[in-house]
Amino acid sequence: MRRTFTALLVALMLAGVASAQEFDWRQFEGEEIRFMMNQHPFTDFIEPLVPEFEELTGIDVTLESYPEDQFRQRRLLEVASGAPTLDGYMIMPGQVGAQYLGAGWVRHIDDFVENDSLTMPDLDLQDFFAGALSTFQSEEGLYGLPLQIESSLLFYREDLFEEAGLDGPPETLEELAEYAAALDSDEVAGFAMRGRGAAATSQIVNLLYSFGGEWLNEDGSSALASEESVAALEYYADLLRNYGPPGPTNLHWNEVMSLYAQGEVAMVFDANVFRSIVEDPEQAIDVVRENTRYAPLPAGPDGSVPAVLVWGLSINHASDSPEAAWYFIQWALSKENQVKALLAGVPAARESAWENEEFQATAPESWIEASRESFNRGQPNWNPPVVPVAEVRDAYGQAIVAALQGEPVEPALERAAEEMDQIVARTN
């Protein structure tokens, strides 16, 4: 797998020798392609630029966008039908990657990447954040390119740290617990993160992997009852029960960020995109807006292993025009367009975009540094890598709620693991 990907990178470096002027953008002139998109900020950004692609290539593009639930249903119906009229689509590997790969509904693109007559010289795969590109790598090869990436960060109050005599953000999960204890008071909770059942799984997975745990064992069975998983959930439950706000099982992201924005929590861990809440004077009080800093996930026994959430573009397995679809993906996710996307508010998946000076002037330095670090070290399985994602999250969520209510963690996770195996077996 690693050798295969390295070979791809070498091929691209050699391809880069050719000049951009030599690349023939017109060889599929006259073809028509159709992409299905989620109604998403990226779609809002790229749609007005499509005429530029059509003028460059002579390829006629139809973009169809739908609200997310409808988008997923329509995409599923079309790819399952094998209709050749759909050429590409947006995809979130963490949601449906296992299902689409298992069913063969994506076209792998390694042969395109290795062909310098089909791949623009400045595609530069190495420019994508490692955590973003890895979500599109399967045992069979690369099956798309990322368009945006998110991860979770530690939001903390520098003024409260100084009052408590704490020097900088915690670097380990052990230090995080010590900091939470030092900051906790009758007026301000020391720490908060999501606790509402299945909704909490996308955040606890950061602890699971940092303690050395995983969703699945090598044989495909549930790993939720492992020693590492038990340790991660015990740590999380102790942290929230001892230093969190009241009612932790009611905390979704909205409650977590609202409590923080109103100065009721000293530290929270949640998605980096929620910086917008902290900086909004209508949602956050002045002392929070002025003193918030950001840090990557502190390291656990197995290091700091944050999850990354990635959207991207893939080619439909049944497309009649896969080469033209590949042209569109390269153009849409070029370095130039990724900078424009980032400036438009889409968290671009290319590292070079985040180095843009105009963008860097718009965001706190600690947020940019913590985000980039997380994107590069992130792992893609923020959801369980199985087809029945929602059902497995519900099973794990029940164990999370039980732990927060003070029940023993080990039997709760044993029940979750058993239920997960039964759920997965029913879908095979």
Side-chain angles (χ1 to χ4, degrees):
M1 177 66 191
R2 184 180 297 276
R3 285 196 298 272
T4 301
F5 187 59
T6 301
L8 278 175
L9 295 178
V10 170
L12 276 176
M13 292 172 65
L14 293 174
V17 174
S19 71
Q21 289 74 20
E22 293 173 343
F23 187 68
D24 182 6
W25 281 103
R26 306 291 297 189
Q27 63 175 316
F28 300 106
E29 182 175 1
E31 293 199 17
E32 298 178 0
I33 57 173
R34 175 171 158 260
F35 271 69
M36 190 177 293
M37 310 291 281
N38 179 22
Q39 283 186 357
H40 181 278
F42 177 78
T43 305
D44 295 339
F45 157 74
I46 202 69
E47 193 164 18
L49 302 182
V50 167
E52 295 180 11
F53 174 78
E54 293 177 322
E55 184 177 352
L56 174 68
T57 64
I59 297 170
D60 184 58
V61 180
T62 298
L63 287 190
E64 295 178 4
S65 63
Y66 303 95
E68 186 156 344
D69 287 347
Q70 188 180 352
F71 160 72
R72 289 180 177 172
Q73 292 170 2
R74 293 182 69 101
R75 184 186 60 188
L76 177 62
L77 287 173
E78 289 216 34
V79 297
S81 74
T85 52
L86 179 65
D87 299 291
Y89 46 77
M90 281 180 69
I91 184 171
M92 182 185 284
Q95 282 279 8
V96 298
Q99 179 183 18
Y100 276 50
L101 283 169
W105 291 338
V106 291
R107 190 200 188 284
H108 287 87
I109 58 175
D110 301 70
D111 55 336
F112 288 172
V113 172
E114 293 169 351
N115 186 337
D116 58 12
S117 72
L118 294 177
T119 296
M120 61 184 191
D122 53 351
L123 176 64
D124 192 4
L125 283 184
Q126 295 176 87
D127 186 44
F128 290 97
F129 287 110
L133 194 61
S134 69
T135 64
F136 283 95
Q137 291 166 11
S138 70
E139 292 183 357
E140 293 76 27
L142 196 63
Y143 67 96
L145 293 181
L147 64 88
Q148 78 156 48
I149 182 170
E150 298 175 20
S151 191
S152 290
L153 302 178
L154 184 71
F155 296 59
Y156 68 93
R157 289 270 301 278
E158 190 174 54
D159 57 324
L160 297 180
F161 274 36
E162 291 174 357
E163 290 175 14
L166 301 174
D167 184 20
E171 296 183 356
T172 66
L173 291 176
E174 185 177 358
E175 285 184 353
L176 176 65
E178 294 171 357
Y179 278 39
L183 293 163
D184 194 57
S185 69
D186 291 340
E187 292 76 31
V188 179
F191 177 80
M193 62 188 291
R194 301 182 201 182
R196 193 186 296 177
T201 62
S202 64
Q203 300 305 310
I204 291 178
V205 70
N206 294 281
L207 303 179
L208 175 67
Y209 275 76
S210 295
F211 270 82
E214 295 185 72
W215 289 104
L216 298 174
N217 294 310
E218 289 186 3
D219 64 0
S221 63
S222 174
L224 289 181
S226 70
E227 180 181 342
E228 294 82 6
S229 175
V230 171
L233 190 54
E234 286 179 337
Y235 169 87
Y236 159 84
D238 287 345
L239 196 59
L240 281 189
R241 293 181 67 210
N242 291 325
Y243 312 118
T249 58
N250 295 320
L251 297 176
H252 204 320
W253 68 262
N254 188 45
E255 289 76 19
V256 170
M257 296 311 303
S258 293
L259 288 168
Y260 181 79
Q262 292 306 307
E264 297 180 35
V265 184
M267 300 184 291
V268 297
F269 184 78
D270 215 302
N272 64 337
V273 295
F274 294 142
R275 187 193 107 216
S276 60
I277 295 175
V278 173
E279 295 179 356
D280 182 356
E282 294 187 359
Q283 298 188 72
I285 60 177
D286 290 349
V287 69
V288 172
R289 289 191 292 109
E290 294 166 0
N291 291 286
T292 292
R293 303 293 182 269
Y294 306 88
L297 171 70
D302 207 48
S304 174
V305 191
V308 289
L309 187 155
V310 176
W311 276 103
L313 294 173
S314 286
I315 300 173
N316 184 26
H317 68 114
S319 168
D320 268 348
S321 302
E323 294 88 357
W326 173 233
Y327 265 41
F328 178 75
I329 291 174
Q330 292 179 80
W331 168 82
L333 305 181
S334 66
K335 291 181 179 179
E336 181 182 5
N337 277 333
Q338 282 274 277
V339 170
K340 293 177 182 176
L342 187 59
L343 292 173
V346 178
R350 281 189 179 272
E351 187 151 15
S352 60
W354 288 65
E355 294 169 355
N356 177 270
E357 292 183 0
E358 184 179 352
F359 164 70
Q360 291 192 347
T362 67
E365 183 178 355
S366 66
W367 184 84
I368 294 174
E369 290 181 358
S371 296
R372 292 175 67 175
E373 190 172 332
S374 300
F375 295 163
N376 273 320
R377 69 167 68 144
Q379 66 85 20
N381 294 322
W382 64 279
N383 266 331
V386 296
V387 174
V389 170
E391 293 94 329
V392 170
R393 288 182 62 172
D394 285 340
Y396 191 22
Q398 292 174 20
I400 291 167
V401 170
L404 291 175
Q405 292 175 336
E407 296 182 28
V409 166
E410 189 168 347
L413 283 174
E414 288 175 350
R415 291 195 299 273
E418 183 177 352
E419 187 175 351
M420 178 176 173
D421 285 337
Q422 292 171 352
I423 292 168
V424 173
R426 286 199 295 270
T427 62
N428 290 333

